[in-house]
Every structure is written in structure tokens, then in C-alpha cells.
């Protein structure tokens, strides 16, 4: 896989026209576009279909976190929508993850369609150890918690996790190279962290072994997004 195929561009906008404009503008360099809460809440499934109609893949980043039955049904709906990947919070627990996976496997077999990649979110990249301890009551350290949730996701049959680039080596070392890692919180050294706390540069994350990296404001929030993307493509070229 070339380095460019590992890039996922986050379409963190509300209007469909702006989202599709980004797809058309960067489609030459990017194959996977991420539809998250903002865009999906505003536009729903039609925007996903329009991106797919342009020959692009969609990462549906809705981070399902609910009771197992609801997560399983939402997973089947994501599979019916034909997305390339979607995610569930690992903190929803093993039953929710397992049932999400079982639903997409059953649906894809029945419909004879490719199965979406199912990922678990470990700890949001906007959170650090301090937040885990003082707000969420998790005392055993951030890296331990990420490792624990990633192991639970693997045991529950998921394909991989969403985690910070800073945790890629640890997770791959612990769970093996085939367990996928999608890393958001990506920032070239020149870009501000914004609300992200566990950041890494695109090249560092890929060098560590991330299978995909999510780029949002480091491209779309820049004065010259084309130039920002071009620089990222140059930086990651050796990691294809
Ligand atoms: O603009 P930025 O590159 O920070 O955007 C990161 C994107 O990845 C956002 O759409 C955010 O919702 C998403 N994301 C994240 N951390 C996770 C999972 C998804 O930042 N753990």
C-alpha cells in the first residue's frame, strides 16, 4: 500500500456542499474520507452515498457507545450503507463489540458484499492521563488503559483500534502487526495541537507502524490546504 493510501481526510464540516468540495479538491491524493458526528448529524446517509458515488471510501466515525443491541443494529446499518470502516467505543464493552462484528459478518455474507472494517476507539486523542484520573476515575495510567482496551477489542473479534500514534508501537508489540491501528491527532511539527493532547507527526505515526492516519485541521484548517497536504505527502512518501 502506498503511503498516500494510508491517509484519511476528516470532513469535519456541516454542509454537504463543503464536504463534497473537499472530496473533489483532494480526491486526487486521498481515497478515504472520514464522516464524523458533525457532518453525519447534519446530512445523514445521503452524504455518505454521494462520497461513495464519487468512487471514494468512507470511514464512518460515529463511535457507537450504547447497549449491545443498539450498537449491533447500528453496525448492521453501517454495513448496509456500504462504508469501508466504522467504529465503536471499546468502553461499550466486549458484548457490544462482539455483536457489532457478528452483525456485519452475517449481513455481508447474506448480501455477498465486502465486510466493513470494524474498529474500537480506545482513549480519545484529546484526553491525557490527567483527564483519565481526575475526571473519569481511571487510576492505572493512560498507556495501560489503552493497552487493556485494545486487547479487549481484539478478544472481541474487532479488526483494530483507533489510538494515538504515540501508542502504535506498544499496541503492535502487544497484539501483533495484523491488528489495525488508525491514528488521529496527527500534527506536523509546524501545526498547532488545537484540542488534541496526544499528537504525533504523520511520518512518525507511519514509521511507528500505524496502518492509517487521520488528518483534519492540519490540512483543512490551513491557509493553504493544498500546500499542507503536499508537504505531508512528501514527508510520508518513504513509509508506503
Ligand atoms: O482536526 P483533527 O486532525 O484534530 O481531527 C481529528 C479527527 O479525528 C476528528 O474528526 C476527530 O473527531 C477524530 N478522532 C479523534 N480521536 C479519536 C477518534 C477520532 O480525534 N480517538
Amino acid at each position: 500500500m502506498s503511503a498516500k493510501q494510508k491517509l484519511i481526510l476528516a470532513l469535519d464540516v456541516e454542509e454537504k456542499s463543503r464536504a463534497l468540495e473537499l472530496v473533489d479538491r483532494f480526491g486526487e491524493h486521498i481515497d478515504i474520507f472520514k464522516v464524523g458526528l458533525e457532518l453525519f448529524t447534519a446530512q445523514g446517509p445521503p452524504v455518505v452515498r454521494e462520497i461513495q458515488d464519487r468512487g471514494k471510501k468512507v470511514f464512518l466515525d460515529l463511535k457507537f457507545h450504547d447497549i449491545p443491541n443498539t450498537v449491533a443494529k447500528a453496525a448492521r446499518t453501517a454495513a448496509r450503507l456500504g462504508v469501508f470502516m466504522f467504529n465503536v467505543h471499546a468502553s461499550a464493552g466486549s458484548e457490544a463489540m462482539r455483536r457489532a462484528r457478528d452483525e456485519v459478518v452475517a449481513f455481508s455474507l447474506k448480501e455477498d458484499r465486502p465486510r466493513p472494517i470494524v474498529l474500537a476507539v480506545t482513549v480519545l486523542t484529546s484526553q491525557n492521563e490527567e483527564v483519565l484520573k481526575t475526571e473519569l476515575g481511571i487510576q492505572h495510567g493512560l498507556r495501560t488503559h489503552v493497552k487493556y482496551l485494545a486487547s479487549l477489542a481484539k478478544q472481541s473479534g474487532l479488526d483494530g483500534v483507533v489510538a494515538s500514534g504515540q501508542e502504535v508501537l506498544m499496541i503492535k508489540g502487544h497484539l501483533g502487526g495484523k491488528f489495525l491501528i488508525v491514528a488521529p491527532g496527527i500534527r506536523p511539527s509546524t501545526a498547532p495541537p488545537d484540542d488534541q493532547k496526544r499528537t504525533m507527526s504523520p511520518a512518525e505515526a507511519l514509521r511507528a507502524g500505524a496502518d492509517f492516519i487521520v488528518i483534519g485541521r492540519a490540512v483543512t484548517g490551513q491557509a493553504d490546504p493544498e500546500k499542507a497536504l503536499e508537504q505531508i505527502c512528501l514527508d510520508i512518501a518513504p513509509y508506503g
Side-chain angles (χ1 to χ4, degrees), residues 52-102:
Q52 293 173 157
D53 287 347
R54 283 163 156 78
K56 297 297 172 188
K57 295 175 186 166
V58 170
F59 169 16
L60 189 64
D61 180 23
L62 300 182
K63 305 183 183 72
F64 301 141
H65 191 170
D66 211 315
I67 59 170
N69 190 55
T70 304
V71 169
K73 289 192 169 153
R76 188 175 52 194
T77 310
R80 188 179 301 122
L81 199 49
V83 301
F84 174 65
M85 56 170 71
F86 72 90
N87 54 10
V88 174
H89 263 289
S91 314
S94 64
E95 190 186 340
M97 288 191 277
R98 189 167 295 116
R99 285 190 54 185
R101 184 190 174 276
D102 290 350

Side-chain angles (χ1 to χ4, degrees), residues 12-88:
D12 288 330
V13 293
E14 200 179 311
E15 302 83 11
K16 188 160 78 172
S17 57
R18 282 192 63 206
L20 295 176
E21 190 187 298
L22 287 169
V23 174
D24 292 339
R25 197 164 159 195
F26 297 109
E28 192 190 325
H29 298 291
I30 293 186
D31 278 334
I32 312 170
F33 290 88
K34 189 173 83 65
V35 174
L37 289 170
E38 182 184 2
L39 183 58
F40 196 80
T41 304
Q43 305 297 337
V47 73
V48 172
R49 292 196 195 97
E50 287 200 39
I51 296 165
Q52 293 173 157
D53 287 347
R54 283 163 156 78
K56 297 297 172 188
K57 295 175 186 166
V58 170
F59 169 16
L60 189 64
D61 180 23
L62 300 182
K63 305 183 183 72
F64 301 141
H65 191 170
D66 211 315
I67 59 170
N69 190 55
T70 304
V71 169
K73 289 192 169 153
R76 188 175 52 194
T77 310
R80 188 179 301 122
L81 199 49
V83 301
F84 174 65
M85 56 170 71
F86 72 90
N87 54 10
V88 174

Side-chain angles (χ1 to χ4, degrees), residues 10 12 34 61 63 121 124-125 162 184 187 196 214 216-217:
D12 288 330
K34 189 173 83 65
D61 180 23
K63 305 183 183 72
V121 177
L124 295 171
T125 42
V162 181
R187 291 291 182 279
Q196 299 283 17
V214 175
R217 287 163 288 184

Side-chain angles (χ1 to χ4, degrees), residues 140-163:
H140 54 225
L142 189 141
R143 288 176 69 80
T144 306
H145 197 54
V146 167
K147 195 163 143 185
Y148 175 75
L149 291 175
S151 304
L152 189 70
K154 190 172 184 202
Q155 286 159 26
S156 309
L158 296 207
D159 301 300
V161 286
V162 181

